[in-house]
Amino acid sequence: MDDNIYTLMNDKQGNSEISLVIGGQLGNYCDNICIELMPMFEVLKYFYETGKLHEAHQWKQE
């Protein structure tokens, strides 16, 4: 989308890390990018239907 990468963020303000296994690899990830299932589905559905980012959620442009 417009040659930019966007990351969906949650409402956490800190920079705490959380250990997750993703793709079979253990890694440390900032906890403010860990999103609950239902808000993630809402964002995916909205983007699929409109081609736009859901403005009610926080986004970080990379």
Side-chain angles (χ1 to χ4, degrees):
M1 163 174 187
D2 68 18
D3 294 327
N4 292 306
I5 297 172
Y6 297 92
T7 301
L8 179 60
M9 309 292 285
N10 65 34
D11 294 334
K12 293 185 178 182
Q13 298 299 318
N15 286 325
S16 299
E17 288 190 347
I18 182 171
S19 294
L20 295 173
V21 175
I22 298 177
Q25 295 276 352
L26 178 63
N28 293 327
Y29 297 88
C30 192
D31 67 348
N32 62 0
I33 63 167
C34 295
I35 309 299
E36 292 185 20
L37 194 59
M38 293 313 291
M40 183 187 59
F41 281 147
E42 178 184 25
V43 166
L44 289 171
K45 182 177 186 262
Y46 184 83
F47 185 80
Y48 177 77
E49 292 172 348
T50 67
K52 298 178 182 176
L53 300 178
H54 197 300
E55 294 180 10
H57 295 274
Q58 291 182 312
W59 296 94
K60 177 182 173 186
Q61 183 176 344
E62 303 292 332

Short mmCIF file of all heavy atoms in Angstrom, two decimals:
data_model
loop_
_atom_site.label_atom_id
_atom_site.label_comp_id
_atom_site.label_asym_id
_atom_site.label_seq_id
_atom_site.Cartn_x
_atom_site.Cartn_y
_atom_site.Cartn_z
N MET A 1 0.84 -1.18 0.00
CA MET A 1 0.00 0.00 0.00
C MET A 1 0.89 1.24 0.00
O MET A 1 1.72 1.39 0.88
CB MET A 1 -0.90 -0.10 1.23
CG MET A 1 -1.55 1.14 1.66
SD MET A 1 -2.67 0.77 2.99
CE MET A 1 -3.40 2.33 3.11
N ASP A 2 0.77 2.08 -0.94
CA ASP A 2 1.51 3.33 -1.13
C ASP A 2 3.01 3.21 -0.83
O ASP A 2 3.63 4.14 -0.35
CB ASP A 2 0.87 4.49 -0.38
CG ASP A 2 0.93 4.40 1.15
OD1 ASP A 2 1.74 3.64 1.69
OD2 ASP A 2 0.18 5.14 1.79
N ASP A 3 3.58 2.05 -1.10
CA ASP A 3 5.02 1.80 -0.92
C ASP A 3 5.51 1.98 0.51
O ASP A 3 6.70 2.18 0.75
CB ASP A 3 5.86 2.66 -1.86
CG ASP A 3 5.64 2.29 -3.31
OD1 ASP A 3 5.40 1.09 -3.58
OD2 ASP A 3 5.70 3.17 -4.18
N ASN A 4 4.62 1.96 1.49
CA ASN A 4 4.98 2.05 2.89
C ASN A 4 4.57 0.77 3.61
O ASN A 4 3.68 0.05 3.15
CB ASN A 4 4.31 3.24 3.57
CG ASN A 4 4.84 4.56 3.07
OD1 ASN A 4 6.03 4.80 3.09
ND2 ASN A 4 3.95 5.41 2.60
N ILE A 5 5.21 0.51 4.72
CA ILE A 5 4.86 -0.64 5.57
C ILE A 5 4.26 -0.09 6.85
O ILE A 5 4.81 0.82 7.46
CB ILE A 5 6.11 -1.49 5.88
CG1 ILE A 5 6.67 -2.08 4.59
CG2 ILE A 5 5.77 -2.59 6.88
CD1 ILE A 5 8.01 -2.77 4.76
N TYR A 6 3.12 -0.64 7.25
CA TYR A 6 2.44 -0.20 8.46
C TYR A 6 2.35 -1.36 9.44
O TYR A 6 2.08 -2.49 9.04
CB TYR A 6 1.03 0.30 8.13
CG TYR A 6 1.05 1.52 7.23
CD1 TYR A 6 0.99 1.39 5.86
CD2 TYR A 6 1.13 2.79 7.78
CE1 TYR A 6 1.01 2.50 5.04
CE2 TYR A 6 1.15 3.92 6.96
CZ TYR A 6 1.09 3.76 5.59
OH TYR A 6 1.12 4.87 4.79
N THR A 7 2.57 -1.06 10.71
CA THR A 7 2.47 -2.06 11.77
C THR A 7 1.31 -1.69 12.67
O THR A 7 1.21 -0.55 13.14
CB THR A 7 3.77 -2.11 12.60
OG1 THR A 7 4.85 -2.44 11.73
CG2 THR A 7 3.68 -3.14 13.71
N LEU A 8 0.42 -2.66 12.91
CA LEU A 8 -0.70 -2.45 13.83
C LEU A 8 -0.18 -2.47 15.25
O LEU A 8 0.55 -3.38 15.64
CB LEU A 8 -1.74 -3.56 13.61
CG LEU A 8 -2.98 -3.53 14.49
CD1 LEU A 8 -3.77 -2.24 14.29
CD2 LEU A 8 -3.85 -4.75 14.19
N MET A 9 -0.53 -1.47 16.04
CA MET A 9 -0.04 -1.33 17.41
C MET A 9 -1.21 -1.49 18.38
O MET A 9 -2.36 -1.23 18.04
CB MET A 9 0.57 0.06 17.61
CG MET A 9 1.60 0.46 16.57
SD MET A 9 3.09 -0.49 16.63
CE MET A 9 3.85 0.22 18.06
N ASN A 10 -0.90 -1.91 19.61
CA ASN A 10 -1.93 -1.93 20.64
C ASN A 10 -1.77 -0.67 21.50
O ASN A 10 -0.99 0.21 21.18
CB ASN A 10 -1.88 -3.23 21.47
CG ASN A 10 -0.60 -3.37 22.26
OD1 ASN A 10 -0.02 -2.42 22.73
ND2 ASN A 10 -0.15 -4.61 22.40
N ASP A 11 -2.50 -0.58 22.60
CA ASP A 11 -2.52 0.64 23.42
C ASP A 11 -1.42 0.70 24.47
O ASP A 11 -1.35 1.66 25.21
CB ASP A 11 -3.87 0.77 24.11
CG ASP A 11 -4.99 0.99 23.11
OD1 ASP A 11 -4.72 1.52 22.02
OD2 ASP A 11 -6.14 0.64 23.43
N LYS A 12 -0.56 -0.30 24.55
CA LYS A 12 0.49 -0.29 25.57
C LYS A 12 1.51 0.79 25.25
O LYS A 12 1.92 0.95 24.12
CB LYS A 12 1.16 -1.66 25.66
CG LYS A 12 0.24 -2.73 26.18
CD LYS A 12 0.96 -4.03 26.37
CE LYS A 12 -0.03 -5.05 26.93
NZ LYS A 12 0.60 -6.32 27.20
N GLN A 13 1.95 1.49 26.28
CA GLN A 13 2.86 2.61 26.09
C GLN A 13 4.33 2.26 26.34
O GLN A 13 5.21 3.01 26.00
CB GLN A 13 2.46 3.77 27.01
CG GLN A 13 1.07 4.30 26.72
CD GLN A 13 0.93 4.86 25.32
OE1 GLN A 13 1.82 5.55 24.84
NE2 GLN A 13 -0.16 4.53 24.64
N GLY A 14 4.59 1.13 26.97
CA GLY A 14 5.97 0.78 27.31
C GLY A 14 6.72 0.13 26.16
O GLY A 14 6.21 -0.05 25.06
N ASN A 15 7.95 -0.20 26.44
CA ASN A 15 8.78 -0.91 25.47
C ASN A 15 9.20 -2.26 26.03
O ASN A 15 10.32 -2.71 25.82
CB ASN A 15 10.02 -0.08 25.12
CG ASN A 15 9.70 1.08 24.22
OD1 ASN A 15 8.83 0.98 23.38
ND2 ASN A 15 10.38 2.19 24.41
N SER A 16 8.30 -2.92 26.73
CA SER A 16 8.60 -4.23 27.29
C SER A 16 8.68 -5.25 26.16
O SER A 16 8.05 -5.10 25.11
CB SER A 16 7.50 -4.66 28.26
OG SER A 16 7.41 -3.76 29.33
N GLU A 17 9.48 -6.29 26.40
CA GLU A 17 9.60 -7.35 25.41
C GLU A 17 8.92 -8.61 25.90
O GLU A 17 8.81 -8.86 27.09
CB GLU A 17 11.07 -7.63 25.10
CG GLU A 17 11.72 -6.53 24.31
CD GLU A 17 13.09 -6.93 23.80
OE1 GLU A 17 13.66 -7.94 24.25
OE2 GLU A 17 13.59 -6.20 22.93
N ILE A 18 8.46 -9.39 24.94
CA ILE A 18 7.80 -10.65 25.21
C ILE A 18 8.44 -11.71 24.32
O ILE A 18 8.76 -11.44 23.16
CB ILE A 18 6.27 -10.53 24.97
CG1 ILE A 18 5.54 -11.81 25.29
CG2 ILE A 18 5.96 -10.05 23.60
CD1 ILE A 18 4.04 -11.67 25.27
N SER A 19 8.66 -12.89 24.86
CA SER A 19 9.25 -13.98 24.07
C SER A 19 8.13 -14.75 23.38
O SER A 19 7.17 -15.18 24.03
CB SER A 19 10.04 -14.93 24.97
OG SER A 19 11.15 -14.28 25.51
N LEU A 20 8.25 -14.91 22.06
CA LEU A 20 7.26 -15.63 21.27
C LEU A 20 7.97 -16.57 20.30
O LEU A 20 9.06 -16.27 19.83
CB LEU A 20 6.41 -14.66 20.45
CG LEU A 20 5.52 -13.69 21.20
CD1 LEU A 20 4.89 -12.71 20.22
CD2 LEU A 20 4.44 -14.44 21.95
N VAL A 21 7.31 -17.67 19.99
CA VAL A 21 7.78 -18.56 18.93
C VAL A 21 6.94 -18.24 17.70
O VAL A 21 5.72 -18.41 17.71
CB VAL A 21 7.65 -20.04 19.32
CG1 VAL A 21 8.05 -20.93 18.15
CG2 VAL A 21 8.50 -20.34 20.55
N ILE A 22 7.61 -17.77 16.65
CA ILE A 22 6.94 -17.43 15.40
C ILE A 22 7.68 -18.10 14.27
O ILE A 22 8.89 -17.92 14.13
CB ILE A 22 6.89 -15.90 15.20
CG1 ILE A 22 6.08 -15.25 16.33
CG2 ILE A 22 6.30 -15.55 13.83
CD1 ILE A 22 6.02 -13.75 16.27
N GLY A 23 6.98 -18.90 13.51
CA GLY A 23 7.62 -19.62 12.41
C GLY A 23 8.66 -20.61 12.88
O GLY A 23 9.63 -20.87 12.19
N GLY A 24 8.49 -21.13 14.10
CA GLY A 24 9.42 -22.11 14.64
C GLY A 24 10.65 -21.50 15.28
O GLY A 24 11.52 -22.22 15.76
N GLN A 25 10.74 -20.18 15.31
CA GLN A 25 11.89 -19.49 15.88
C GLN A 25 11.48 -18.70 17.13
O GLN A 25 10.50 -17.96 17.09
CB GLN A 25 12.49 -18.51 14.87
CG GLN A 25 13.08 -19.14 13.66
CD GLN A 25 14.51 -19.61 13.91
OE1 GLN A 25 15.09 -19.34 14.93
NE2 GLN A 25 15.06 -20.32 12.94
N LEU A 26 12.23 -18.86 18.20
CA LEU A 26 12.00 -18.07 19.40
C LEU A 26 12.63 -16.70 19.21
O LEU A 26 13.76 -16.58 18.75
CB LEU A 26 12.62 -18.76 20.63
CG LEU A 26 12.48 -18.01 21.95
CD1 LEU A 26 11.02 -17.87 22.35
CD2 LEU A 26 13.28 -18.72 23.04
N GLY A 27 11.86 -15.68 19.53
CA GLY A 27 12.38 -14.32 19.41
C GLY A 27 11.76 -13.41 20.44
O GLY A 27 10.72 -13.74 21.03
N ASN A 28 12.37 -12.28 20.68
CA ASN A 28 11.84 -11.27 21.59
C ASN A 28 11.19 -10.18 20.76
O ASN A 28 11.80 -9.64 19.83
CB ASN A 28 12.95 -10.68 22.46
CG ASN A 28 13.51 -11.69 23.42
OD1 ASN A 28 12.79 -12.56 23.90
ND2 ASN A 28 14.78 -11.60 23.70
N TYR A 29 9.95 -9.85 21.10
CA TYR A 29 9.18 -8.86 20.36
C TYR A 29 8.65 -7.82 21.33
O TYR A 29 8.31 -8.12 22.47
CB TYR A 29 8.00 -9.53 19.63
CG TYR A 29 8.46 -10.51 18.60
CD1 TYR A 29 8.69 -11.84 18.93
CD2 TYR A 29 8.67 -10.11 17.29
CE1 TYR A 29 9.14 -12.75 17.97
CE2 TYR A 29 9.11 -11.02 16.33
CZ TYR A 29 9.34 -12.33 16.69
OH TYR A 29 9.77 -13.21 15.74
N CYS A 30 8.57 -6.59 20.87
CA CYS A 30 8.01 -5.51 21.69
C CYS A 30 6.53 -5.82 21.93
O CYS A 30 5.80 -6.16 21.00
CB CYS A 30 8.18 -4.19 20.96
SG CYS A 30 7.84 -2.77 21.98
N ASP A 31 6.10 -5.71 23.17
CA ASP A 31 4.73 -6.12 23.48
C ASP A 31 3.67 -5.18 22.91
O ASP A 31 2.50 -5.53 22.86
CB ASP A 31 4.54 -6.29 24.99
CG ASP A 31 4.63 -5.00 25.78
OD1 ASP A 31 5.07 -3.98 25.22
OD2 ASP A 31 4.27 -5.02 26.96
N ASN A 32 4.05 -4.01 22.40
CA ASN A 32 3.02 -3.13 21.84
C ASN A 32 2.63 -3.51 20.41
O ASN A 32 1.78 -2.86 19.81
CB ASN A 32 3.43 -1.66 21.94
CG ASN A 32 4.67 -1.33 21.17
OD1 ASN A 32 5.27 -2.18 20.52
ND2 ASN A 32 5.09 -0.08 21.25
N ILE A 33 3.22 -4.57 19.85
CA ILE A 33 2.77 -5.06 18.54
C ILE A 33 2.01 -6.39 18.66
O ILE A 33 1.64 -6.97 17.66
CB ILE A 33 3.93 -5.20 17.53
CG1 ILE A 33 4.95 -6.24 17.99
CG2 ILE A 33 4.58 -3.86 17.24
CD1 ILE A 33 5.94 -6.64 16.92
N CYS A 34 1.78 -6.84 19.88
CA CYS A 34 1.01 -8.06 20.11
C CYS A 34 -0.47 -7.67 20.20
O CYS A 34 -0.88 -6.96 21.11
CB CYS A 34 1.46 -8.77 21.38
SG CYS A 34 3.16 -9.36 21.25
N ILE A 35 -1.25 -8.14 19.25
CA ILE A 35 -2.64 -7.73 19.10
C ILE A 35 -3.56 -8.90 19.42
O ILE A 35 -3.30 -10.03 19.01
CB ILE A 35 -2.92 -7.25 17.66
CG1 ILE A 35 -1.89 -6.21 17.22
CG2 ILE A 35 -4.34 -6.73 17.50
CD1 ILE A 35 -1.85 -4.95 18.03
N GLU A 36 -4.65 -8.62 20.13
CA GLU A 36 -5.64 -9.66 20.40
C GLU A 36 -6.33 -10.08 19.10
O GLU A 36 -6.34 -9.34 18.12
CB GLU A 36 -6.65 -9.16 21.42
CG GLU A 36 -6.03 -8.96 22.80
CD GLU A 36 -7.05 -8.58 23.85
OE1 GLU A 36 -8.25 -8.83 23.64
OE2 GLU A 36 -6.63 -8.02 24.87
N LEU A 37 -6.90 -11.27 19.13
CA LEU A 37 -7.45 -11.89 17.93
C LEU A 37 -8.60 -11.09 17.29
O LEU A 37 -8.59 -10.84 16.09
CB LEU A 37 -7.91 -13.31 18.26
CG LEU A 37 -8.22 -14.22 17.10
CD1 LEU A 37 -7.00 -14.39 16.21
CD2 LEU A 37 -8.68 -15.58 17.61
N MET A 38 -9.58 -10.67 18.07
CA MET A 38 -10.75 -9.99 17.49
C MET A 38 -10.41 -8.64 16.85
O MET A 38 -10.87 -8.36 15.74
CB MET A 38 -11.87 -9.86 18.53
CG MET A 38 -12.47 -11.21 18.93
SD MET A 38 -12.88 -12.31 17.56
CE MET A 38 -14.24 -11.45 16.83
N PRO A 39 -9.60 -7.78 17.50
CA PRO A 39 -9.23 -6.53 16.81
C PRO A 39 -8.43 -6.80 15.53
O PRO A 39 -8.58 -6.08 14.53
CB PRO A 39 -8.37 -5.79 17.83
CG PRO A 39 -8.77 -6.33 19.15
CD PRO A 39 -9.16 -7.76 18.89
N MET A 40 -7.61 -7.84 15.53
CA MET A 40 -6.85 -8.18 14.33
C MET A 40 -7.80 -8.59 13.20
O MET A 40 -7.65 -8.15 12.06
CB MET A 40 -5.86 -9.31 14.61
CG MET A 40 -5.00 -9.64 13.42
SD MET A 40 -3.98 -11.08 13.63
CE MET A 40 -5.18 -12.36 13.94
N PHE A 41 -8.80 -9.41 13.51
CA PHE A 41 -9.78 -9.81 12.49
C PHE A 41 -10.54 -8.60 11.96
O PHE A 41 -10.80 -8.50 10.76
CB PHE A 41 -10.77 -10.84 13.05
CG PHE A 41 -10.22 -12.23 13.12
CD1 PHE A 41 -10.62 -13.08 14.14
CD2 PHE A 41 -9.32 -12.72 12.18
CE1 PHE A 41 -10.14 -14.37 14.22
CE2 PHE A 41 -8.83 -14.01 12.25
CZ PHE A 41 -9.25 -14.83 13.28
N GLU A 42 -10.89 -7.68 12.86
CA GLU A 42 -11.61 -6.47 12.45
C GLU A 42 -10.78 -5.67 11.44
O GLU A 42 -11.29 -5.22 10.41
CB GLU A 42 -11.91 -5.62 13.68
CG GLU A 42 -12.60 -4.32 13.37
CD GLU A 42 -12.80 -3.45 14.60
OE1 GLU A 42 -12.05 -3.60 15.59
OE2 GLU A 42 -13.71 -2.63 14.56
N VAL A 43 -9.50 -5.50 11.72
CA VAL A 43 -8.60 -4.75 10.84
C VAL A 43 -8.43 -5.46 9.50
O VAL A 43 -8.46 -4.83 8.44
CB VAL A 43 -7.24 -4.54 11.55
CG1 VAL A 43 -6.18 -4.08 10.57
CG2 VAL A 43 -7.39 -3.55 12.69
N LEU A 44 -8.24 -6.78 9.54
CA LEU A 44 -8.08 -7.54 8.29
C LEU A 44 -9.33 -7.46 7.42
O LEU A 44 -9.24 -7.25 6.21
CB LEU A 44 -7.76 -9.00 8.60
CG LEU A 44 -6.38 -9.27 9.16
CD1 LEU A 44 -6.27 -10.72 9.63
CD2 LEU A 44 -5.31 -8.96 8.14
N LYS A 45 -10.50 -7.61 8.02
CA LYS A 45 -11.75 -7.55 7.28
C LYS A 45 -11.94 -6.17 6.66
O LYS A 45 -12.31 -6.04 5.49
CB LYS A 45 -12.92 -7.89 8.20
CG LYS A 45 -14.26 -7.91 7.51
CD LYS A 45 -15.35 -8.33 8.49
CE LYS A 45 -16.66 -8.49 7.78
NZ LYS A 45 -17.54 -7.37 7.86
N TYR A 46 -11.67 -5.13 7.44
CA TYR A 46 -11.82 -3.76 6.94
C TYR A 46 -10.89 -3.51 5.76
O TYR A 46 -11.29 -2.94 4.75
CB TYR A 46 -11.54 -2.77 8.08
CG TYR A 46 -11.78 -1.33 7.68
CD1 TYR A 46 -13.06 -0.79 7.71
CD2 TYR A 46 -10.73 -0.52 7.29
CE1 TYR A 46 -13.28 0.53 7.35
CE2 TYR A 46 -10.94 0.80 6.92
CZ TYR A 46 -12.22 1.32 6.96
OH TYR A 46 -12.44 2.62 6.59
N PHE A 47 -9.62 -3.94 5.87
CA PHE A 47 -8.67 -3.73 4.78
C PHE A 47 -9.10 -4.52 3.54
O PHE A 47 -9.02 -4.02 2.41
CB PHE A 47 -7.25 -4.12 5.19
CG PHE A 47 -6.24 -3.81 4.14
CD1 PHE A 47 -5.77 -2.52 3.98
CD2 PHE A 47 -5.78 -4.80 3.29
CE1 PHE A 47 -4.85 -2.22 2.98
CE2 PHE A 47 -4.86 -4.52 2.30
CZ PHE A 47 -4.39 -3.22 2.14
N TYR A 48 -9.56 -5.75 3.73
CA TYR A 48 -10.01 -6.57 2.60
C TYR A 48 -11.18 -5.90 1.86
O TYR A 48 -11.23 -5.89 0.64
CB TYR A 48 -10.42 -7.95 3.10
CG TYR A 48 -10.97 -8.84 2.03
CD1 TYR A 48 -10.13 -9.47 1.12
CD2 TYR A 48 -12.34 -9.06 1.92
CE1 TYR A 48 -10.63 -10.28 0.12
CE2 TYR A 48 -12.86 -9.87 0.92
CZ TYR A 48 -12.00 -10.48 0.02
OH TYR A 48 -12.52 -11.27 -0.97
N GLU A 49 -12.10 -5.31 2.62
CA GLU A 49 -13.29 -4.71 2.03
C GLU A 49 -13.04 -3.32 1.44
O GLU A 49 -13.71 -2.93 0.48
CB GLU A 49 -14.41 -4.62 3.07
CG GLU A 49 -14.94 -5.98 3.48
CD GLU A 49 -15.91 -5.93 4.64
OE1 GLU A 49 -16.03 -4.86 5.30
OE2 GLU A 49 -16.57 -6.96 4.89
N THR A 50 -12.11 -2.55 2.02
CA THR A 50 -11.94 -1.16 1.59
C THR A 50 -10.57 -0.85 0.98
O THR A 50 -10.43 0.16 0.30
CB THR A 50 -12.12 -0.21 2.79
OG1 THR A 50 -11.06 -0.40 3.72
CG2 THR A 50 -13.47 -0.42 3.46
N GLY A 51 -9.57 -1.68 1.30
CA GLY A 51 -8.22 -1.38 0.84
C GLY A 51 -7.55 -0.28 1.65
O GLY A 51 -6.53 0.27 1.24
N LYS A 52 -8.14 0.05 2.82
CA LYS A 52 -7.62 1.13 3.66
C LYS A 52 -7.33 0.61 5.06
O LYS A 52 -7.86 -0.41 5.48
CB LYS A 52 -8.64 2.26 3.75
CG LYS A 52 -8.96 2.90 2.42
CD LYS A 52 -10.00 3.96 2.59
CE LYS A 52 -10.35 4.56 1.22
NZ LYS A 52 -11.42 5.54 1.33
N LEU A 53 -6.49 1.37 5.78
CA LEU A 53 -6.22 1.06 7.18
C LEU A 53 -7.40 1.51 8.04
O LEU A 53 -7.97 2.58 7.81
CB LEU A 53 -4.95 1.78 7.65
CG LEU A 53 -3.67 1.44 6.91
CD1 LEU A 53 -2.52 2.27 7.45
CD2 LEU A 53 -3.35 -0.03 7.00
N HIS A 54 -7.75 0.71 9.01
CA HIS A 54 -8.85 1.05 9.92
C HIS A 54 -8.38 2.17 10.84
O HIS A 54 -7.44 2.01 11.61
CB HIS A 54 -9.21 -0.19 10.75
CG HIS A 54 -10.55 -0.12 11.41
ND1 HIS A 54 -10.87 0.85 12.31
CD2 HIS A 54 -11.64 -0.92 11.28
CE1 HIS A 54 -12.10 0.65 12.73
NE2 HIS A 54 -12.59 -0.41 12.11
N GLU A 55 -9.01 3.33 10.75
CA GLU A 55 -8.55 4.52 11.47
C GLU A 55 -8.81 4.48 12.97
O GLU A 55 -8.24 5.29 13.71
CB GLU A 55 -9.17 5.77 10.86
CG GLU A 55 -8.69 6.02 9.44
CD GLU A 55 -9.30 7.26 8.82
OE1 GLU A 55 -9.95 8.04 9.55
OE2 GLU A 55 -9.11 7.44 7.62
N ALA A 56 -9.63 3.55 13.44
CA ALA A 56 -9.90 3.46 14.87
C ALA A 56 -8.76 2.75 15.61
O ALA A 56 -8.77 2.71 16.84
CB ALA A 56 -11.22 2.72 15.11
N HIS A 57 -7.80 2.24 14.89
CA HIS A 57 -6.67 1.53 15.49
C HIS A 57 -5.38 2.32 15.26
O HIS A 57 -5.28 3.13 14.35
CB HIS A 57 -6.54 0.12 14.89
CG HIS A 57 -7.70 -0.75 15.23
ND1 HIS A 57 -7.77 -1.47 16.40
CD2 HIS A 57 -8.84 -1.02 14.55
CE1 HIS A 57 -8.91 -2.13 16.42
NE2 HIS A 57 -9.57 -1.89 15.32
N GLN A 58 -4.39 2.03 16.11
CA GLN A 58 -3.10 2.72 16.01
C GLN A 58 -2.21 2.03 14.98
O GLN A 58 -2.10 0.79 14.99
CB GLN A 58 -2.38 2.72 17.36
CG GLN A 58 -3.03 3.58 18.40
CD GLN A 58 -2.23 3.56 19.67
OE1 GLN A 58 -1.83 2.51 20.16
NE2 GLN A 58 -1.97 4.73 20.21
N TRP A 59 -1.52 2.82 14.17
CA TRP A 59 -0.61 2.30 13.16
C TRP A 59 0.73 3.00 13.27
O TRP A 59 0.80 4.19 13.57
CB TRP A 59 -1.17 2.54 11.77
CG TRP A 59 -2.44 1.81 11.53
CD1 TRP A 59 -3.71 2.31 11.71
CD2 TRP A 59 -2.60 0.47 11.11
NE1 TRP A 59 -4.63 1.35 11.41
CE2 TRP A 59 -3.98 0.22 11.04
CE3 TRP A 59 -1.71 -0.53 10.77
CZ2 TRP A 59 -4.48 -1.02 10.65
CZ3 TRP A 59 -2.22 -1.76 10.37
CH2 TRP A 59 -3.59 -1.99 10.32
N LYS A 60 1.79 2.26 13.02
CA LYS A 60 3.14 2.83 12.97
C LYS A 60 3.65 2.65 11.56
O LYS A 60 3.65 1.53 11.04
CB LYS A 60 4.05 2.11 13.96
CG LYS A 60 5.48 2.58 13.93
CD LYS A 60 6.31 1.78 14.91
CE LYS A 60 7.77 2.11 14.79
NZ LYS A 60 8.61 1.24 15.63
N GLN A 61 4.06 3.75 10.94
CA GLN A 61 4.62 3.67 9.59
C GLN A 61 6.10 3.35 9.71
O GLN A 61 6.84 4.03 10.41
CB GLN A 61 4.43 4.98 8.85
CG GLN A 61 4.91 4.93 7.44
CD GLN A 61 4.63 6.23 6.69
OE1 GLN A 61 3.84 7.04 7.12
NE2 GLN A 61 5.31 6.39 5.59
N GLU A 62 6.53 2.27 9.06
CA GLU A 62 7.93 1.84 9.12
C GLU A 62 8.76 2.59 8.10
O GLU A 62 8.30 3.02 7.10
CB GLU A 62 8.02 0.33 8.87
CG GLU A 62 7.20 -0.50 9.80
CD GLU A 62 7.68 -0.50 11.25
OE1 GLU A 62 8.89 -0.30 11.49
OE2 GLU A 62 6.85 -0.68 12.13
#
